[in-house]
């Protein structure tokens, strides 16, 4: 039995999937929710509350405590961790962890009798880490765009983006120069946790590194000119950039207490979206993925490297080689949960009944659910907008309005990819909603496929470990773990309704930004 472990450190929880690649079986799954199980960090939604809605930060020590706890859960569940052949992982993209020169020494001297957080706390040169929800760097983005113009988008895959690591580090260096000077290395959430497991600093893989505005995707090296303008000496603070099948090192002896064998190969971690591309079996062009999590993302493997002229879409590294496109909509499940609460509905009503009692097109009712600052299109000031009076609408109509509007927004802003997807796979919590799957099929005029494991980022990490360490080809892994379990076909009459609604939605969105 060849076992591989995938770990996903997301926005609100850390999850683990242990797989047996011979049988195609999930051996064990477990999770630690930050808000519910680590309340001492005061982050009920995975980030520290802040009066400025554009500031979203989290405590890296919370991720370390959660890592200890999720491995403890695996051990206590009786998972045969001594038989794990390889480990890899996933981290929420764009979160940056700034560390001082003590980090390598502390990693090498981890004491299994003490928790990770207390031992590595002295290595933090910045106590809190900005995460992907942070939008507080608009001034820094304008500075980067003014200096590099179109080159930033054409070479790094994206224009300057508020949540990306480069602008975040520019702000850090400007506002806290002493703390920045004390920073010896800058890691992403992914490479930080890979470093902890490997007991030494890990490279940053191309998939996650592309979400920094610092990696030149033409050379796959850090762009020294952009990095040095971003922050002085930054090039020397960045770990090496490496392919996604790189082995970062052997598992630290610290983790023997959970039942692992020290020295078990640890493949470099990647971002949650590149891992989900693998976990849904979509690393070849022709299949798109919609991930319905805290944020909604639309992504796909790219046949050719190209960037979004509008600057909303991004290009990241594909862990299987080449590139992937991605569009992120910040108001995903958080917006759906807010509408559900406002309507006083339970999930059964939200996921099924609401759309059974309303008609496709919803009598023209649309909304822009910007409960949080939005990425696509860029909206820094939260504010929900309707083209109808919500007080006069039924709960079912309000629920259909948010689902249809989110689907139309995805379709509108994915057009730059110029690809006719043969099928679209859905993953994440809201992918369980039959009503939303049907709306997506009708809006995109494409079959929507569900897969067995909703935890695609953690599964993708485990599959990447099997590929990098065990040399198992991705197509073989996909046949065992990523086959479609259910397909929803588009209904032609509904598709015609939504095709007519798309230009109306585009005008509504454009008018709201004036």
């Amino acid at each position: 039995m060849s076992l591989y472990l995938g770990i996903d450190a997301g926005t609100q929880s850390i999850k683990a999937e242990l797989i047996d690649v011979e049988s195609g079986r999930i051996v064990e799954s477990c999770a630690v929710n930050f808000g519910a199980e680590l309340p001492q960090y005061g982050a009920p939604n995975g980030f520290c509350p802040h009066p400025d809605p554009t500031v979203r930060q989290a405590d890296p020590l919370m991720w370390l405590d959660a890592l200890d706890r999720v491995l403890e859960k695996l051990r206590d569940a009786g998972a045969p961790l001594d038989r794990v052949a390889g480990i890899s992982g996933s981290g929420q993209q764009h979160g940056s962890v700034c560390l001082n020169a003590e980090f390598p020494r502390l990693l090498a001297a981890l004491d299994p009798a003490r928790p990770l957080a207390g031992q590595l706390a002295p290595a933090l040169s910045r106590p809190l880490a900005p995460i992907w929800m942070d939008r507080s760097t608009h001034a820094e983005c304008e500075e980067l765009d003014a200096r590099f113009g179109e080159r930033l988008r054409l070479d790094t895959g994206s224009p300057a983006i508020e949540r990306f690591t480069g602008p975040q580090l520019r702000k850090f260096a400007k506002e806290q120069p002493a703390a920045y000077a004390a920073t010896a290395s800058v890691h992403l959430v992914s490479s930080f946790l890979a470093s902890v497991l490997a007991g030494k600093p890990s490279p940053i893989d191309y998939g996650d590194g592309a979400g920094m505005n610092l990696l030149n995707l033409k050379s796959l090296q850090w762009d020294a000119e952009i990095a040095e303008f971003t922050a002085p000496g930054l090039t020397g603070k960045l770990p090496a950039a490496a392919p996604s099948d790189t082995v970062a090192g052997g598992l630290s002896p610290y983790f023997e207490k959970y039942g692992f064998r020290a020295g078990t190969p640890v493949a470099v971690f990647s971002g949650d979206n590149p891992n989900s591309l693998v976990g849904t079996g979509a690393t070849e062009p022709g299949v798109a993925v919609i991930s319905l999590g805290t944020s909604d993302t639309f992504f796909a493997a790219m046949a050719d490297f190209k960037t979004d002229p509008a600057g909303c879409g991004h290009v990241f590294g594909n862990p299987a080689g080449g590139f992937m496109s991605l569009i992120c909509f910040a108001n995903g499940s958080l917006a759906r949960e807010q509408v559900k609460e406002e309507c006083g509905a339970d999930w059964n009503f939200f996921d099924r009944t609401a759309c059974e009692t309303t008609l496709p097109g919803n009598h023209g009712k649309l909304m822009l659910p910007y409960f949080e600052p939005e990425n696509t299109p860029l909206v820094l000031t939260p504010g929900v907008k309707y083209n109808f009076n919500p007080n006069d609408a039924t709960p079912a109509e309000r629920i259909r309005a948010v689902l249809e509007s989110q689907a139309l927004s995805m379709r509108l802003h994915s057009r730059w990819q110029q690809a006719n997807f043969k099928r679209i796979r859905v993953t994440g919590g809201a992918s369980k909603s039959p009503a939303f799957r049907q709306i997506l099929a009708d809006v995109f005029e494409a079959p929507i496929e569900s897969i067995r494991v909703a935890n695609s980022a953690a599964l993708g990490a485990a599959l990447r470990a099997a590929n990098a360490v065990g040399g198992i080809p991705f197509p073989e892994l996909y046949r065992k773990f990523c086959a479609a379990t259910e397909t929803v076909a588009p209904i032609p009459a509904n598709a015609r309704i939504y095709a007519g609604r798309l230009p109306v939605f585009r005008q509504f969105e454009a008018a709201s930004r004036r």
Side-chain angles (χ1 to χ4, degrees):
M1 181 165 61
S2 298
L3 303 185
Y4 292 91
L5 177 64
I7 298 168
D8 172 42
T11 308
Q12 301 185 59
S13 64
I14 193 165
K15 303 170 185 174
E17 295 281 345
L18 182 63
I19 66 171
D20 174 7
V21 298
E22 291 181 5
S23 66
R25 184 170 64 94
I26 305 296
V27 177
E28 193 65 58
S29 300
C30 60
V32 172
N33 182 275
F34 302 143
E37 298 181 62
L38 297 170
Q40 65 269 33
Y41 289 99
N45 293 308
F47 55 86
C48 304
H50 196 282
D52 183 347
T54 67
V55 175
R56 291 289 181 260
Q57 300 172 321
D59 190 336
L61 302 183
M62 178 177 71
W63 301 329
L64 295 177
D65 270 339
L67 178 61
D68 265 331
R69 190 163 296 195
V70 80
L71 297 180
E72 185 179 75
K73 285 188 175 187
L74 282 175
R75 179 196 65 193
D76 293 349
L81 299 180
D82 60 324
R83 299 166 67 183
V84 171
I87 302 169
S88 191
S90 163
Q92 55 172 303
Q93 291 201 255
H94 318 303
S96 53
V97 183
C98 293
L99 300 148
N100 60 36
E102 287 292 287
F103 185 51
R105 183 187 68 80
L106 292 172
L107 284 177
L110 289 174
D111 179 358
R114 300 169 54 207
L116 288 170
Q119 296 185 71
L120 293 175
L124 295 175
S125 58
R126 187 181 193 183
L128 295 180
I131 63 170
W132 66 271
M133 300 173 75
D134 193 279
R135 305 291 183 281
S136 64
T137 60
H138 190 62
E140 289 71 27
C141 287
E142 288 184 329
E143 292 164 357
L144 283 160
D145 278 332
R147 170 64 179 81
F148 296 104
E150 284 292 278
R151 183 169 100 74
L152 202 64
R153 174 175 64 85
L154 296 174
D155 288 351
T156 74
S158 305
I161 300 294
E162 281 76 6
R163 67 188 185 278
F164 277 27
T165 315
Q168 293 287 346
L169 291 172
R170 183 168 177 81
K171 181 183 178 185
F172 178 44
K174 286 164 56 179
E175 296 184 352
Q176 301 179 57
Y180 175 76
T183 298
S185 61
V186 176
H187 278 275
L188 300 178
V189 178
S190 58
S191 62
F192 173 62
L193 293 177
S195 300
V196 173
L197 286 168
K200 64 178 184 179
S202 167
I204 292 175
D205 93 304
Y206 298 150
D208 212 5
M212 299 174 74
N213 279 141
L214 297 170
L215 185 69
N216 190 309
L217 297 182
K218 296 173 180 175
S219 67
L220 294 177
Q221 299 293 323
W222 302 120
D223 193 303
E225 184 184 13
I226 294 173
E228 291 306 309
F229 177 82
T230 296
L234 178 56
T235 307
K237 300 176 189 286
L238 295 170
S244 299
D245 59 359
T246 302
V247 173
L251 187 66
S252 166
Y254 172 89
F255 297 98
E256 287 183 297
K257 67 181 183 179
Y258 297 116
F260 293 100
R261 290 175 292 108
T264 299
V266 178
V268 294
F269 283 28
S270 189
D272 49 1
N273 295 300
N275 275 290
S276 285
L277 190 75
V278 174
T280 53
T283 52
E284 293 296 323
V287 182
V289 180
I290 295 175
S291 177
L292 301 169
T294 304
S295 63
D296 290 341
T297 51
F298 184 98
F299 51 89
M302 303 183 78
D304 302 298
F305 178 88
K306 57 187 172 187
T307 58
D308 180 6
C312 293
H314 314 296
V315 179
F316 297 152
N318 179 341
F323 301 97
M324 61 178 286
S325 59
L326 178 139
I327 310 152
C328 177
F329 303 85
N331 286 275
S333 286
L334 288 178
R336 291 186 286 272
E337 289 170 5
Q338 184 68 34
V339 171
K340 179 185 79 73
E341 293 300 318
E342 289 180 355
C343 291
D346 61 18
W347 280 117
N348 183 64
F349 183 87
F350 189 96
D351 289 339
R352 189 180 297 272
T353 308
C355 291
E356 291 173 350
T357 57
T358 52
L359 295 173
N362 205 24
H363 303 292
K365 294 180 175 64
L366 297 169
M367 67 179 293
L368 302 176
Y370 303 153
F371 293 96
E372 290 281 339
E374 181 53 65
N375 304 326
T376 308
L378 181 63
V379 177
L380 295 176
T381 303
V384 181
K385 296 180 173 62
Y386 306 87
N387 71 345
F388 63 98
N389 185 343
N391 297 321
D392 294 337
T394 66
E397 289 173 331
R398 294 175 65 182
I399 289 168
R400 184 178 272 277
V402 70
L403 295 177
E404 289 188 345
S405 296
Q406 288 181 323
L408 288 166
S409 184
M410 288 183 210
R411 180 68 190 270
L412 175 65
H413 293 288
S414 64
R415 284 182 160 182
W416 67 277
Q417 297 172 49
Q418 297 177 344
N420 293 318
F421 297 109
K422 299 175 183 176
R423 52 203 169 99
I424 298 174
R425 294 194 148 184
V426 290
T427 183
S431 66
K432 298 174 184 177
S433 167
F436 202 11
R437 293 200 303 271
Q438 186 64 65
I439 289 171
L440 290 167
D442 295 339
V443 168
F444 279 92
E445 301 180 65
I448 297 292
E449 297 181 345
S450 301
I451 59 172
R452 179 169 43 129
V453 179
N455 227 347
S456 59
L459 174 62
L463 298 181
R464 287 183 46 251
N467 174 260
V469 177
I472 304 171
F474 281 124
E476 180 180 337
L477 294 167
Y478 295 159
R479 284 194 296 272
K480 293 183 175 182
F481 292 96
C482 304
T485 57
E486 184 179 357
T487 301
V488 176
I491 299 171
N494 295 351
R496 288 192 291 272
I497 291 170
Y498 291 125
R501 297 302 296 159
L502 192 62
V504 177
F505 179 84
R506 181 177 62 243
Q507 293 169 3
F508 175 45
E509 183 186 88
S512 73
R513 301 176 66 192
R514 294 185 189 130

